[in-house]
Amino acid sequence: MVFTVIRIFFAINGIVGCTFLIPVLTALACREYQVLPSFVIPMTTSIVLAVIFIIAGRKTKIRLNNRSAFIVVALAWISASLFSAIPLYASGAIPRLADAVFESTSGFSTTGATILNDIESLPRSINLWRCETHWLGGMGIVALTVALLPIMGVGGFQLIKAETTGPEKGKLTPKITNTAKILWILYVSMTAVETLLLKIAGMDFIDALSHAFATLSTGGFSTKNASIGYYKSAPIDWIIIIFMFLAGINFSLYYYLFTGKLSEIKKDSEMKVYIAIIVAVSLTITAIELPRYSSVLQSLRFSTFQVITLITTTGFSTADYTLWHPASQVLIFMLFFIGGSSGSTSGGIKVIRITIVAKQLYNEVKRMLHPHGVFSIRINQRAGRKDVVFNVTAFLFAYFALIVISTFISALAGIDIFTSFTASTSMLGNFGPAFNKLGPSCNYSWLPDAIKWWYCFIMLTGRLEIYTMLIFFFPSFWKK
């Protein structure tokens, strides 16, 4: 079992190493020769090690139990975050190790929090790599490896279950490798379309690709200090609004769309609630902020952008919501406790969990009025199971307990309570921006190194939906 874990571990890192080729080609095209060794050396090393271990175990059939699957996924995400920090640190773009690891972890976890004060001064290849880490982490590095290496098909479902989001995990096709391939083909296709549209709207190709990476992954890194607000372009804003919205939807629904299973889409409870929240909150903030903008359309554009960028946990900005009306800020803060859909690239609690809890609350009220009645929640027009409710309840307890613990640890470092609380909520939900000293116009560079390392753990815990990381702290996990 140990050799199997090591073999998969090096295979995953080899796949990540192959993705260094994109910034390498960018560095060559932009004549940024000084950063090439920072990419080429770790890329070559990881690929060579991956090939060695794949060949060495080619006759060994991979079998994974639940315990080894959790170990592989956790190690894969930790090592990918450390590995992707090498170009940032070795190139001198981010000269401090804690900062480089924070930036790369924020990238892979699709959080989008940055320690950089002047993003535009970085080499373009480095900036593209930052955004590419989002893209890799958005759909999942383990899912990518399963899709590209059929040799890992055995046991692949356990791996993807430990990485994907939402209270219930399933397969679109009988073979998990085919499911992973379908999801990645959809992901790549949507990225290509957005890149083309952003190029047409006025971005150059590298910026268009970078922002497409960051949008479809709901990550939020930008190549500009002012984020999307730099462009002051309504077409660019609306393109990104549309693709953030699409990225926040369960990707399984796109598979149903292309295979003609429209009934599965029509009865999807989560998508209905997701759309309803976006429409209701966007229109309300548009009305509240109307005096601030020159027209209804402009107010709608800025309000909708901020609502979708936060509910999908992307973290782009075109306006500083901390300067908005207090009522608007309350609605914005509410989004920090929702997140996108399960099976999407978004972080947060997820709309489906909020829906399940709300339906269960309604049932409990009815049960008080009718003690002998039998009530069950209905999700996707089917009666829900009690074990799903229990799962969601346990998840919410762990989620808010971690926010409280993280807030306390942040406060121990001398950070004020509101900044500590909103930052902890942002890190665990993979949102990026917070409030107060860590609002959308600020960054995380001023935090103590100890807090940066802690936030790295919290970001990965949030991306892997808590259990995959916390399970290692339970003694029963280590018992045979």
Side-chain angles (χ1 to χ4, degrees), residues 93-116:
I94 302 179
R96 300 185 69 253
L97 181 61
D99 288 346
V101 174
F102 181 93
E103 194 79 8
S104 62
T105 304
S106 179
F108 263 100
S109 64
T110 72
T111 303
T114 184
I115 51 81
L116 294 167

Side-chain angles (χ1 to χ4, degrees), residues 254-265:
Y254 298 121
Y255 173 77
Y256 296 138
L257 176 65
F258 290 115
T259 54
K261 298 179 180 178
L262 300 182
S263 60
E264 294 292 329
I265 300 174

Side-chain angles (χ1 to χ4, degrees), residues 176-245:
I176 193 62
T177 51
N178 291 337
T179 297
K181 286 175 183 176
I182 288 169
L183 292 176
W184 268 95
I185 289 170
L186 288 170
Y187 193 49
V188 171
S189 301
M190 292 170 71
T191 304
V193 171
E194 188 188 358
T195 301
L196 177 61
L197 292 176
L198 289 175
K199 180 73 169 63
I200 294 171
M203 288 188 184
D204 67 32
F205 176 74
I206 294 176
D207 280 352
L209 180 60
S210 298
H211 287 99
F213 280 161
T215 303
L216 266 302
S217 62
T218 64
F221 277 159
S222 175
T223 58
K224 305 299 180 184
N225 294 328
S227 190
I228 306 304
Y230 167 88
Y231 295 97
K232 295 182 173 61
S233 167
I236 287 175
D237 286 359
W238 284 113
I239 290 168
I240 290 177
I241 284 171
I242 291 168
F243 280 92
M244 286 192 296
F245 170 79

Side-chain angles (χ1 to χ4, degrees), residues 244 304-316 321 324 329 331-340 346-348 426 429-435 440:
M244 286 192 296
T304 304
F305 191 100
Q306 290 308 131
V307 168
I308 294 182
T309 196
L310 286 174
I311 195 172
T312 61
T313 72
T314 306
F316 282 141
Y321 54 74
W324 282 1
Q329 292 186 47
L331 293 174
I332 288 293
F333 187 55
M334 176 193 73
L335 300 176
F336 277 62
F337 298 97
I338 299 177
S346 300
S426 179
N430 304 132
F431 287 88
F435 278 80

Side-chain angles (χ1 to χ4, degrees), residues 16 18 46 53-54 63 65 75 99 103 118 123 149 151 179 181 196 210 238 274 280 321 328 372 399 434 446:
V16 175
C18 289
S46 66
F53 277 92
I54 289 173
R63 297 187 183 278
N65 55 32
L75 284 177
D99 288 346
E103 194 79 8
D118 187 6
L149 295 181
I151 193 173
T179 297
K181 286 175 183 176
L196 177 61
S210 298
W238 284 113
Y274 172 70
Y321 54 74
S328 298
H372 301 294
Y399 193 91
W446 59 274

